[in-house]
Amino acid sequence: MAVLTSSSQNLQVHRFPQDHYIDSLRWLPQLSAFHRNIILAAFDSETSTSSLQILSSSNSSSNPPELTFQSSLTTPSRISSLTTSQNPNKLLIAASTFSGSLLLYTADLVNGSLEFVDSVAEKGFHLGRVNGIDVSENGSEFVSVGEDGRINWVSFVGGGLSTKKVFDSNGLVSYGAVKWASPVEFVSSGLGFGLQWWDQRRPGGPVSQFKANWTRGTTSGIVHSIDIHPSRKHTCLAGGSSGTVFAWDLRWQQQPIMLSGVGTSDLSALSPSESDVWEVQYDNYTASSNYRNMSESRVLPAMICSEDGILAVIEQGEEPVELLAEPCAINSFDIDRQNPSDIVCSLEWESIAILTRS
């Protein structure tokens, strides 16, 4: 165990070596204050097999946390994206794959077991890797985007999955990430730091688009991750190439709010990462501590993880707070929604880290 201290918070870091590569991981809804479950997508490079696994994390004030294996199910293809509904009474786990399919599972949080529910096969769904998937607040609607330029809407009704094609660029555009904004609206990302806002009440194409132009063609970037805060659905947070993190506010559509980016001269000194930002999430823990000083026009604090091993909190106009600086990539992380002081992340060198802030 390592205990780190920054100027703004104390941090406990616990690392747990694994015997496989971890493509993605997420906290599952909490049943008790001392026992929580983590769902992770694992890949064994020696056997080229993929699986979903549930690990149990136990913790108390007097003892360091322990990570215990609960269950595992082999998946037909490597997992490219992982998302979960947050309703313990209707807990669904959706995983998209490199081969272009969608897999749906349910989890029993009491005994830590996984059960396969249904799938959408590659044919007619996506050609090649599904880059992003997200689940709606009601846990019954999914949206997926792929490198093939397709966007699909998936509904879980009557115990099975049904699909509807939202858009098909016929390979002219590749999409990298997606996030719900409302029951009928979502945001997608593509090459060139572009973002698209879709409204299913107005089908046929995006109702609004943001095309980045601050690089003036000097770099070619892509957005890898998107987040939207429930209290500010007009603002989209995005992270991608070259340490770039920005917010897109629908009220000022062509005025991106830059939070980090090596290629932007006024922000280079404040950029915690110089490589790909693999994931971004709004950080409710930091936001709650600064809530009184947070105006409606100010972008809420965000957390990022990157290819050059950085896990950090960034705030508009503030110095970033570095939580981890690893010798390998941090390819995924998740902030516990019920207890946002706790973070879990996956390290490229086959390890899981659990962080607790105080």
Side-chain angles (χ1 to χ4, degrees):
M1 179 187 74
V3 180
L4 308 177
T5 303
S6 73
S7 59
S8 59
Q9 55 192 250
N10 294 323
L11 185 69
Q12 290 187 339
V13 183
H14 305 271
R15 292 178 174 84
F16 304 90
Q18 305 293 301
D19 58 3
H20 43 252
Y21 188 87
I22 303 165
D23 287 311
S24 185
L25 45 65
R26 293 288 180 262
W27 289 110
L28 293 177
Q30 189 171 330
L31 290 181
S32 74
F34 303 108
H35 291 86
R36 290 171 297 171
N37 290 318
I38 299 167
I39 181 79
L40 62 88
F43 178 73
D44 189 327
S45 58
E46 294 184 359
T47 61
S48 295
T49 58
S50 303
S51 63
L52 284 177
Q53 300 181 11
I54 289 184
L55 305 181
S56 174
S57 171
S58 60
N59 191 17
S60 68
S61 58
S62 58
N63 298 312
E66 296 180 354
L67 209 54
T68 307
F69 174 82
Q70 295 291 300
S71 63
S72 176
L73 284 179
T74 301
T75 59
S77 177
R78 188 170 181 176
I79 302 301
S80 58
S81 183
L82 186 66
T83 188
T84 65
S85 64
Q86 290 298 307
N87 185 351
N89 299 320
K90 189 183 180 181
L91 178 55
L92 295 175
I93 299 164
S96 61
T97 70
F98 278 61
S99 64
S101 62
L102 171 66
L103 310 171
L104 189 65
Y105 300 84
T106 185
D108 187 327
L109 297 180
V110 176
N111 59 30
S113 63
L114 276 168
E115 182 179 351
F116 175 75
V117 177
D118 200 1
S119 67
V120 180
E122 297 90 342
K123 186 177 181 180
F125 188 58
H126 282 284
L127 298 174
R129 174 173 173 158
V130 182
N131 284 331
I133 187 171
D134 194 32
V135 59
S136 62
E137 289 186 7
N138 64 17
S140 298
E141 307 287 341
F142 303 87
V143 62
S144 67
V145 297
E147 62 183 10
D148 58 357
R150 292 181 181 181
I151 300 177
N152 290 309
W153 184 304
V154 183
S155 299
F156 181 63
V157 180
L161 294 172
S162 62
T163 64
K164 179 181 70 173
K165 184 183 296 182
V166 176
F167 186 75
D168 188 351
S169 72
N170 296 312
L172 298 178
V173 176
S174 178
Y175 296 107
V178 68
K179 190 72 177 180
W180 286 106
S182 76
V184 293
E185 298 168 294
F186 60 87
V187 176
S188 64
S189 70
L191 292 171
F193 295 119
L195 297 174
Q196 305 84 33
W197 193 283
W198 305 79
D199 188 333
Q200 288 309 285
R201 295 166 297 190
R202 298 165 62 185
V207 296
S208 182
Q209 296 190 62
F210 167 71
K211 297 181 180 179
N213 58 8
W214 63 82
T215 61
R216 296 179 175 86
T218 58
T219 60
S220 177
I222 187 171
V223 171
H224 298 299
S225 179
I226 302 171
D227 198 16
I228 296 176
H229 197 277
S231 68
R232 299 187 181 183
K233 294 186 176 182
H234 56 268
T235 304
C236 175
L237 180 71
S241 306
S242 303
T244 301
V245 181
F246 65 94
W248 180 40
D249 193 321
L250 280 175
R251 297 170 299 182
W252 299 281
Q253 293 185 20
Q254 300 306 317
Q255 297 293 325
I257 304 169
M258 295 299 299
L259 303 177
S260 171
V262 174
T264 52
S265 58
D266 56 336
L267 281 176
S268 292
L270 296 178
S271 299
S273 170
E274 298 181 357
S275 65
D276 288 276
V277 172
W278 292 124
E279 190 152 11
V280 294
Q281 289 186 25
Y282 281 110
D283 183 16
N284 290 335
Y285 179 82
T286 302
S288 63
S289 63
N290 299 336
Y291 182 77
R292 292 185 178 180
N293 299 323
M294 199 72 63
S295 69
E296 178 65 23
S297 61
R298 186 178 175 88
V299 179
L300 295 172
M303 187 176 294
I304 69 166
C305 70
S306 69
E307 177 66 25
D308 52 4
I310 300 299
L311 182 74
V313 176
I314 57 176
E315 291 191 63
Q316 186 178 355
E318 303 288 341
E319 291 279 350
V321 176
E322 191 175 273
L323 303 180
L324 284 181
E326 297 293 314
C328 63
I330 301 176
N331 54 27
S332 178
F333 78 92
D334 196 28
I335 301 172
D336 192 333
R337 298 190 190 185
Q338 295 164 291
N339 189 12
S341 62
D342 292 345
I343 310 154
V344 63
C345 61
S346 60
L347 311 183
E348 186 178 34
W349 290 355
E350 300 182 349
S351 181
I352 293 174
I354 296 179
L355 298 81
T356 302
R357 297 177 283 183
S358 60

